C-alpha cells in the first residue's frame, strides 16, 4: 500500500502526491461535479480551490479537510491513505496490459472509498456478512490440487455439481465485495484484500470488452487468487485459470457430460450446448478437457490454432442466456432509503 504522510500543520504534504487522485475519485464516486461539491461545503471551499486540489497544484489547509470529508461523507483518514489497508491488486490481464503508478493509485483510491462506504452501509442496514475462507487450510501446487479445491468450495457453499446460474450474486451472498466498473485496457478484473479481512473484486462488465462467459471465468479466476494458498514455485495465473474452469464445470460433471474420460475429438455442437447450460466458453471447455487428459495435445492445439484463435469472442457459437448482475448494494440502499421503507 502507498503511504501518504502529513508533514505540515498548515497543509497536507504527501510523499507520492496522491491527494488529488483520492479527492477526484471520491467526488466522481459520489456523482458530484465540482460546483456541487463546493456547494456541499457551505462556502468553505470554492470551485476554483477544488480545481487546484484535483490538479495537484495546491493542497487544502488542515481546516478545510474536515469540510471536504463531511461533504463526501468519508473519514478524513481516507485522504491520507490511513482508512483501509488495500493490498497490491492481483491483476487479471487479457493481453499483457500493465497498470501505471497513477492507474494503480486511482484504483486503490476507488477501492478504499467504495469499501469504506459499503461496509458502513452493511452495518447500518444490518446486512453485514462475515467472510470465511473455506479453503484456507489447503496448499496448492498443481492442477489436481485446484480441482479438489474447486470441489470442496462447491461442497462448502452448497452449490451441488451442476450449473451455477449467477456467479456475481453467489459471491455477494458469500460475503465478497464485488464492484463493476470500467477498468484500463488489458485488464478484465482484479482482486485484493482490505485490512486482510474483506475480499474485494473489481470487474469490467462492459459487453464491448468481454462476454458473459468470459466475465464468469474472470470472476472465478480472481476468486482463486483470493482463496487459494499457492506454493512458492506454483504458476499462480495458470492454476487460477484451472480453478475457474473446475469451479464452473466440476471435473466429474464434465466427464459425465462428455461421456468418457478420453475423447478422440470434441465437436463444436456439443460444446455450444454445454456453453449455453454451464456458462463456460468453448475455449475454457477445450482447456479443461486438456487439463483432464481427455484429449491429446495435438487436438488441443488444433482447436486453438484452427478455430478459437480465429474467433476469440466465439461469435455464432452460442451465448449463456442468464445475465450476470450485481444486486446486493442496491438492496442495501433500498433498506436505508427512508422514502422506500415508509411505503
Amino acid at each position: 500500500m502507498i503511504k501518504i504522510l502529513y508533514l505540515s500543520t498548515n497543509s497536507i504534504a504527501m510523499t507520492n502526491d496522491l491527494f488529488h487522485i483520492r479527492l477526484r475519485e471520491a467526488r466522481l464516486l459520489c456523482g458530484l461535479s465540482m460546483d456541487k461539491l463546493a456547494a456541499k461545503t457551505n462556502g468553505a471551499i470554492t470551485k476554483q480551490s477544488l480545481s487546484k486540489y484535483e490538479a495537484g497544484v495546491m493542497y487544502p489547509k488542515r481546516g478545510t479537510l474536515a469540510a471536504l470529508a463531511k461533504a463526501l461523507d468519508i473519514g478524513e483518514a481516507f485522504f491520507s491513505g490511513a482508512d483501509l489497508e488495500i493490498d497490491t491488486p492481483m491483476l487479471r490481464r487479457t493481453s499483457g496490459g500493465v497498470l501505471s503508478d497513477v492507474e494503480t493509485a486511482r484504483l486503490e483510491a476507488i477501492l478504499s472509498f467504495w469499501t469504506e462506504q459499503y461496509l458502513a452501509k452493511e452495518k447500518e442496514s444490518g446486512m453485514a456478512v462475515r467472510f470465511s475462507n473455506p479453503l484456507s487450510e489447503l496448499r496448492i501446487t498443481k492442477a489436481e490440487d485446484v480441482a479438489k479445491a474447486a470441489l470442496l468450495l462447491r461442497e462448502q457453499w452448497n452449490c451441488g455439481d451442476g450449473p451455477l446460474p449467477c456467479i456475481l450474486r453467489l459471491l455477494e451472498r458469500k460475503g465478497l465485495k464485488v464492484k463493476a466498473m470500467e477498468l484500463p485496457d488489458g485488464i478484465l478484473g482484479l482482486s485484493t484484500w482490505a485490512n486482510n479481512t474483506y475480499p474485494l473484486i473489481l470487474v469490467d462488465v462492459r459487453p464491448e470488452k468481454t462476454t458473459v462467459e468470459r466475465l464468469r471465468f474472470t470472476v472465478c479466476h480472481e476468486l482463486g487468487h483470493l482463496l487459494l494458498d499457492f506454493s512458492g514455485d506454483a504458476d499462480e495465473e495458470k492454476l487460477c485459470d484451472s480453478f475457474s474452469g473446475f469451479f464452473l464445470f466440476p471435473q466429474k460433471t464434465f466427464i459425465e457430460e462428455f461421456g468418457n474420460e478420453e475423447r478422440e475429438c470434441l465437436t463444436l455442437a456439443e460444446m455450444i450446448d454445454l456453453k449455453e447450460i454451464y456458462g463456460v466458453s468453448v475455449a475454457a471447455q477445450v482447456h479443461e478437457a486438456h487439463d483432464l487428459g481427455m484429449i491429446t495435445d495435438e487436438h488441443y492445439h488444433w482447436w486453438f490454432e484452427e478455430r478459437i484463435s480465429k474467433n476469440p469472442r466465439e461469435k455464432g457459437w452460442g451465448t449463456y442466456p442468464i445475465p450476470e448482475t450485481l444486486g446486493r448494494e442496491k438492496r442495501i440502499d433500498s433498506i436505508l432509503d427512508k422514502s422506500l421503507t415508509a411505503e
Side-chain angles (χ1 to χ4, degrees):
M1 180 180 177
I2 300 171
K3 296 296 184 182
I4 306 170
L5 304 175
Y6 288 105
L7 300 179
S8 168
T9 57
N10 295 318
S11 64
I12 303 171
M14 302 186 175
T15 57
N16 288 287
D17 196 25
L18 299 180
F19 170 79
H20 65 290
I21 294 175
R22 285 188 163 240
L23 172 60
R24 181 176 184 275
E25 295 307 325
R27 176 177 64 79
L28 294 176
L29 284 168
C30 288
L32 298 173
S33 65
M34 286 189 188
D35 284 318
K36 289 182 178 179
L37 178 54
K40 289 193 70 173
T41 67
N42 297 318
I45 305 171
T46 65
K47 177 185 176 181
Q48 289 73 24
S49 292
L50 287 173
S51 180
K52 291 179 180 179
Y53 296 157
E54 291 193 10
V57 298
M58 188 172 80
Y59 299 123
K61 292 182 179 180
R62 190 63 67 89
T64 61
L65 188 64
L68 274 176
K70 182 178 180 180
L72 293 168
D73 192 24
I74 197 73
E76 291 182 41
F78 167 76
F79 297 111
S80 68
D83 52 338
L84 287 171
E85 182 179 355
I86 304 295
D87 286 349
T88 301
M90 299 165 289
L91 304 178
R92 169 76 165 104
R93 291 181 287 269
T94 56
S95 58
V98 178
L99 288 175
S100 67
D101 289 343
V102 171
E103 287 171 328
T104 301
R106 173 178 170 268
L107 290 174
E108 185 184 28
I110 290 171
L111 282 168
S112 294
F113 185 88
W114 176 74
T115 303
E116 183 174 331
Q117 297 276 12
Y118 194 176
L119 292 174
K121 289 192 292 186
E122 279 191 327
K123 183 177 180 180
E124 184 180 353
S125 65
M127 292 277 284
V129 178
R130 183 177 179 83
F131 178 77
S132 176
N133 181 1
L135 308 180
S136 60
E137 301 300 319
L138 299 182
R139 183 71 167 167
I140 305 298
T141 60
K142 54 188 183 299
E144 289 82 356
D145 297 332
V146 293
K148 293 177 182 177
L151 180 60
L152 176 60
L153 185 61
R154 274 182 167 255
E155 291 174 351
Q156 293 296 310
W157 282 1
N158 300 311
C159 293
D161 62 358
L164 300 174
C166 187
I167 293 295
L168 294 179
R169 298 290 181 123
L170 171 64
L171 299 194
E172 285 188 307
R173 195 166 68 247
K174 297 303 179 181
L176 288 94
K177 317 305 180 190
V178 187
K179 180 174 177 57
M181 64 168 287
E182 182 176 337
L183 295 175
D185 292 342
I187 307 297
L188 286 178
L190 64 85
S191 55
T192 189
W193 290 84
N195 289 352
N196 295 316
T197 302
Y198 308 106
L200 312 175
I201 293 178
L202 283 177
V203 63
D204 198 326
V205 302
R206 292 176 294 160
E208 63 269 25
K209 191 170 182 178
T210 191
T211 63
V212 64
E213 300 85 16
R214 196 174 190 184
L215 169 62
R216 287 162 58 83
F217 190 90
T218 296
V219 170
C220 291
H221 175 103
E222 298 304 329
L223 182 64
H225 278 303
L226 290 167
L227 301 188
L228 301 178
D229 179 18
F230 296 96
S231 63
D233 58 347
D235 187 339
E236 186 170 338
E237 288 299 313
K238 184 176 180 180
L239 290 173
C240 281
D241 277 346
S242 296
F243 173 81
S244 181
F246 287 129
F247 185 63
L248 289 167
F249 208 153
Q251 177 177 347
K252 184 179 178 181
T253 305
F254 189 90
I255 293 171
E256 289 175 345
E257 291 285 16
F258 280 94
N260 206 323
E261 292 186 1
E262 294 183 9
R263 289 282 300 271
E264 182 176 344
C265 66
L266 305 176
T267 71
L268 180 60
E270 66 180 327
M271 287 191 284
I272 289 175
D273 178 66
L274 294 172
K275 175 181 180 177
E276 293 176 343
I277 297 299
Y278 287 88
V280 178
S281 68
V282 169
Q285 291 180 59
V286 173
H287 270 301
E288 186 162 349
H290 187 253
D291 285 345
L292 293 175
M294 181 180 289
I295 57 175
T296 64
D297 291 346
E298 181 180 10
H299 190 56
Y300 170 81
H301 291 301
W302 178 87
W303 261 106
F304 275 90
E305 292 169 6
E306 298 298 326
R307 303 301 299 271
I308 295 169
S309 65
K310 298 175 182 178
N311 187 16
R313 289 183 67 91
E314 302 189 359
K315 293 181 179 179
W317 292 0
T319 302
Y320 185 62
I322 302 176
E324 284 288 345
T325 62
L326 294 165
R328 194 165 186 277
E329 189 173 11
K330 292 179 182 178
R331 297 198 303 274
I332 290 173
D333 287 339
S334 73
I335 294 172
L336 300 177
D337 188 332
K338 303 305 180 183
S339 67
L340 295 178
T341 55
E343 292 179 357

